[in-house]
Amino acid sequence: MLDLLLTGISQLVTPHGAGLHRGASHGELFKLENAALGFQNGLIAWLGREADWTGEAKDTINLEGRAVIPGLIDPHTHAIWAGTRLTDFESRASGIGYENILAAGGGIRSTMKHTAEASLETLVHLALPRLEALIRSGATTIEVKSGYGFTLEAELKMLHAVRELQTRVQAQLEPTLLIHVPPKDRLERGAYLDMVVNELIPQAAVQKLATAVDVFVEREAFNVPETELILQSARANNLAIKLHVDQFHAIGGLELGIKYNALSVDHLEASGADQIKALSSSNTVGLILPGVTLHLGLPAAPARKLIDAGAAIAIGTDLNPGSSPVYSAQLALALAVRLNGLTPAEALVASTVNAAAALGLFDRGRLELGCRADVLVLEGADWREFAYKLGTNPVRQVFIAGLRYQP
Ligand code: NIG
Ligand code: FE
């Protein structure tokens, strides 16, 4: 007996098969019309044509001709921060660059100051509505990074905030330890790296506060040799690896990520032909963040070329106060179609099964028997509206592990 059966599904649309969808098969979707979908114990237990259903369910919801797709995975957020970046926003609007603001001690460093000063409870309180907004937009699994703490204590406080948030939101949260920017004083960089490698990463691993380590590899942040030290520690502590690379300059971060078998390399706005070639023949996901292209006016990551060369792409919101105040996983997907040249089908794969793989998760991001029952009921009958609509929410209902999301 099923716990719940959804009937009246105009179209059930989903990627098929776990793992990376890449190259020519990136946009392949399985589609079923007049479908029904059943849940049991939080998993998908039946799916097929409604006319073929003969079993019993404790509860039935008739969706009256609406489309159904898998819940989205948002594999890259900085959803925990204190303070605002509204003054930066005004400065940028009057022509001052993001990197210049950062180099002058503002930007990420100003958010670090406010975040380090805030209590754990304040951080939780500030992050909750951001995560709720992402869930309403269709995200059922959300990665959340630290990285605005800077000190040992403040970074661990951010990761404890993720742990606390997990008890308060229905979506699954995946915590990542982000080593974001070095001390401003060059002479303090070595001691900071020692702290990261010998204390912060081991403590995060022992306390199971993070599943992955991320580093911002950039001229204004960490260089390749520094990043490599951090990745060696991540590896020694059995944490997965992902990197912020090629956001403003391609300084070797992408190549280092591939060498360390990173789950994903994220941003890619400045990636060129060499990076496209290297990524396409690797098992690392190219994770694009179209909100940054929109908000900072950066070039779009070359996702079209990457897919054509055989790569696997995932999409994230990068929700953060400085480079991407994007509170909707659906909007990130819709922007990837406009800004990065993905087809709607490729974008759906990039926001579901490929985004799951970018977090090392293989039990979700697709509607198949035995997968987590993370499901979106759309407002309309044609799923393509999900990639088409801007500035409104095409999601009617969200189910997470079989339970209807109650805001
Ligand atoms: O993913 N580039 C580095 N980190 C973030 C931005 C953080 C911030 O501006 O506060 C990003 O874009
Ligand atoms: Fe980011």
Side-chain angles (χ1 to χ4, degrees):
M1 168 102 77
L2 295 179
D3 295 328
L4 177 64
L5 184 72
L6 304 180
T7 62
I9 299 173
S10 58
Q11 303 176 332
L12 182 152
V13 177
T14 178
H16 195 60
L20 295 186
H21 292 230
R22 61 196 308 156
S25 57
H26 203 299
E28 277 173 16
L29 296 174
F30 170 80
K31 295 183 193 149
L32 196 62
E33 293 189 349
N34 303 315
L37 179 64
F39 305 158
Q40 198 174 6
N41 297 327
L43 303 179
I44 294 172
W46 196 88
L47 68 89
R49 281 157 34 97
E50 188 176 333
D52 295 336
W53 166 252
T54 53
E56 280 180 71
K58 288 180 204 150
D59 207 359
T60 301
I61 301 178
N62 183 348
L63 300 181
E64 297 172 336
R66 295 191 168 83
V68 158
I69 60 174
L72 305 188
I73 318 293
D74 189 346
H76 184 137
T77 84
H78 309 249
I80 301 179
W81 76 83
T84 82
R85 298 274 281 283
L86 296 171
T87 306
D88 288 3
F89 179 48
E90 284 184 321
S91 303
R92 286 203 311 97
S94 59
I96 304 173
Y98 177 91
E99 285 176 287
N100 297 340
I101 294 171
L102 179 56
I108 295 171
R109 293 185 197 279
S110 77
T111 300
M112 283 180 156
K113 183 172 171 293
H114 289 105
T115 306
E117 283 166 9
S119 68
L120 189 145
E121 191 48 46
T122 298
L123 293 180
V124 168
H125 175 78
L126 290 169
L128 258 178
R130 299 170 190 153
L131 295 172
E132 301 287 354
L134 290 176
I135 297 170
R136 284 195 302 276
S137 78
T140 50
T141 298
I142 304 170
E143 188 252 20
V144 183
K145 299 178 195 296
S146 70
Y148 289 130
F150 190 70
T151 63
L152 174 74
E153 296 71 27
E155 285 297 319
L156 293 175
K157 177 180 68 180
M158 287 192 75
L159 293 173
H160 277 288
V162 183
R163 184 174 276 179
E164 177 58 29
L165 284 159
Q166 184 63 90
T167 67
R168 306 213 203 167
V169 295
Q170 240 176 285
Q172 183 173 320
L173 305 181
E174 281 291 310
T176 297
L177 171 63
L178 169 61
I179 311 304
H180 210 165
V181 290
K184 264 192 81 81
D185 186 341
R186 290 238 143 231
L187 298 175
E188 292 171 14
R189 284 171 88 118
Y192 186 73
L193 282 171
D194 278 351
M195 182 283 284
V196 166
V197 162
N198 297 317
E199 295 178 69
L200 179 52
I201 292 176
Q203 287 200 33
V206 167
Q207 296 183 54
K208 296 201 183 323
L209 285 168
T211 53
V213 172
D214 188 349
V215 184
F216 184 19
V217 191
E218 186 53 63
R219 285 189 195 160
E220 282 303 323
F222 293 97
N223 61 31
V224 167
E226 290 169 335
T227 304
E228 187 150 19
L229 289 176
I230 298 170
L231 298 190
Q232 281 166 355
S233 170
R235 194 177 255 182
N237 286 280
N238 289 319
L239 293 172
I241 286 167
K242 56 180 80 175
L243 293 175
H244 282 67
V245 305
D246 298 3
Q247 183 178 4
F248 299 99
H249 308 97
I251 61 165
L254 179 139
E255 292 80 354
L256 183 69
I258 293 170
K259 177 175 162 195
Y260 276 79
N261 212 7
L263 288 173
S264 67
V265 283
D266 306 18
H267 274 287
L268 315 179
E269 293 88 342
S271 297
D274 290 349
Q275 286 76 37
I276 291 171
K277 193 161 173 241
L279 191 53
S280 304
S281 52
S282 78
N283 287 322
T284 293
V285 177
L287 204 162
I288 61 168
L289 307 162
V292 179
T293 293
L294 182 71
H295 185 68
L296 294 188
L298 293 187
R304 174 76 270 140
K305 287 184 181 162
L306 279 162
I307 293 177
D308 291 343
I313 295 294
I315 300 168
T317 60
D318 201 11
L319 171 59
N320 78 77
S323 71
S324 183
V326 169
Y327 292 73
S328 164
Q330 180 271 336
L331 178 61
L333 179 156
L335 289 177
V337 176
R338 274 73 171 192
L339 301 176
N340 304 91
L342 270 61
T343 65
E346 287 167 341
L348 184 64
V349 167
S351 288
T352 55
V353 70
N354 277 6
L359 295 178
L361 301 172
F362 300 96
D363 62 341
R364 66 195 71 194
R366 58 203 163 93
L367 305 177
E368 286 182 81
L369 293 184
C371 286
R372 252 171 76 104
D374 295 343
V375 176
L376 307 183
V377 177
L378 306 185
E379 290 286 358
D382 189 326
W383 81 274
R384 292 174 300 179
E385 282 188 2
F386 189 71
Y388 172 74
K389 288 190 167 175
L390 301 170
T392 186
N393 188 3
V395 179
R396 186 180 181 88
Q397 282 171 29
V398 179
F399 289 89
I400 304 175
L403 297 177
R404 190 167 168 180
Y405 167 64
Q406 311 277 9

